[in-house]
Every structure is written in C-alpha cells, then in structure tokens.
Amino acid sequence: MRPVDKDYRIYGERIYLRPIVEDDTDMVLEWRNSENVVKNFIYRKQITKSEHLEWLKNKVDKGLVHQFIICDNVGDTPYGCVYIPHFDDENNKAECGIFLGDNKNRPRGIGAEAMKMVLDYCFEQLNVHKVVTRVLAFNKASLKMNERAGYVQEAYLKDELYIDGKYEDVVLFGAVNPYVLSGNDENV
Ligand SMILES: CC(C)(COP(=O)(O)OP(=O)(O)OC[C@H]1O[C@@H](n2cnc3c(N)ncnc32)[C@H](O)[C@@H]1OP(=O)(O)O)[C@@H](O)C(=O)NCCC(=O)NCCS
C-alpha cells in the first residue's frame, strides 16, 4: 500500500481519524504501554521510544502500516490509535487493531466507531477484500466493540496462545467487503 497522506482525514459522527505523526510519539507510547492496554493485548511487550520511531520509519512511512490517531470532532482531544498493522497483498486481506488511552471523559463506544471507520476505509478506499481482527477471549469490551463495528466471529481458538504463564483463548473476527465482487463468480 502507499503511505497515507499526512493531510488525509476520515470523519465520523463523534470522531475523526488523522494519520499518526512523529510528534504523537510520547502520547502514543503512554497509551500503548498503559496497564489496561498491555493486559488486553496479544503482544505484551512494552514498546520503547526507539522501537516506536523505527516502526514509524520502517512501517508507517513506507505504507506497510496505516495508523491513525482517533480525535474528538469537538476540541480535537486525542483518544487513542486505530491501525492496520498488516496487509496481505496476495490474498487482498488486512488486519486491524486498536488501543485507547485512559481518558475518563472518553465517550462510550468510540472504539467501535473508529473500528467501523477503518473497516469502511479498507473496503471503500483501499478495495481490500477481507479484514480480520483477533481478540483475547476474556476481553469483553473488545468482543462487543468488534461486533458493533461490523465484524463477524469466525472462529473461537481454544488455548491458542501461551501468555504470561497461561494458555489463552482467542476469538477471530472477519468482515468481507460488501462493495466488490468476490472474484469467485464465473461471470466476473
Ligand atoms: C476495546 C476498546 C477499544 C473498546 O472501546 P469502546 O468501543 O469505546 O468500548 P467501551 O469502553 O464503550 O465499552 C464497550 C462495551 O463493553 C462493555 N465492557 C467494558 N468492560 C467490560 C467487561 N470487563 N465485561 C463486560 N463488558 C464490558 C462496556 O460496558 C460497553 O458495553 P455497553 O455499551 O453495552 O454498556 C477499549 O476498551 C480499549 O482500548 N481497551 C484496551 C485495549 C484493547 O483491548 N484493545 C483491543 C485489543 S483486541
């Protein structure tokens, strides 16, 4: 994929998405390394500043990752990140992830709104055929969020991962682009 133009915006009802920039680094690291995010994430390691800057340079700036800051339409308050960490070009698939900061004034449900906006972006702007997202099965807020965003549970993977000394179940969600032909149709 091509990198996202820095002026690009995606507008929703309560929030808008803007591409991540280097100046967001301290804020994003605070969100990403917070206790609530780490305990709900599959990849648990704390991210250092230099790792994050490498990520921006080697992934985001090259278009291998599309990452957005979720901001309030009124007042621009940043709430978190929603991102596409992986594109599978061969199968025209993408994976989506999200983490929000610990802002007590964060409106409810904006995670679902942001996930839906990125799903539409994948389908309508990038013409991706399928988007998937994986969730640790105990993460009830995320399970609800994904369903509300338009994902469908495709699999329940028992004891899929060994994390912090315990086997954890993972739920796999998927969403198929409703706007394009599947390519399986003989008349295509
Ligand atoms: C997952 C996350 C993005 C969801 O954000 P959101 O869509 O804005 O969701 P909300 O915080 O409004 O909560 C969604 C729902 O889950 C419910 N919920 C939250 N914690 C819950 C719990 N422990 N048990 C059951 N339900 C829970 C909320 O009550 C709400 O339901 P309701 O609207 O029917 O009352 C956010 O919670 C987050 O950043 N979590 C930490 C990181 C993370 O888990 N990322 C996803 C990894 S896959």
Side-chain angles (χ1 to χ4, degrees), residues 36-37 40-41 98-100 106-112 134-135 139-142 144-145 148:
N36 187 40
V37 169
N40 285 300
F41 247 50
I98 188 168
F99 54 89
L100 303 178
R106 164 164 64 89
R108 291 175 73 121
I110 57 146
R134 290 177 303 151
V135 179
N139 189 350
K140 306 294 180 222
S142 192
K144 262 192 186 176
M145 171 189 73
R148 285 174 179 168

Side-chain angles (χ1 to χ4, degrees), residues 111-117 119 144-151:
E113 193 176 335
M115 286 291 278
K116 170 86 174 78
M117 286 160 75
L119 199 54
K144 262 192 186 176
M145 171 189 73
N146 286 321
E147 274 164 12
R148 285 174 179 168
Y151 286 92

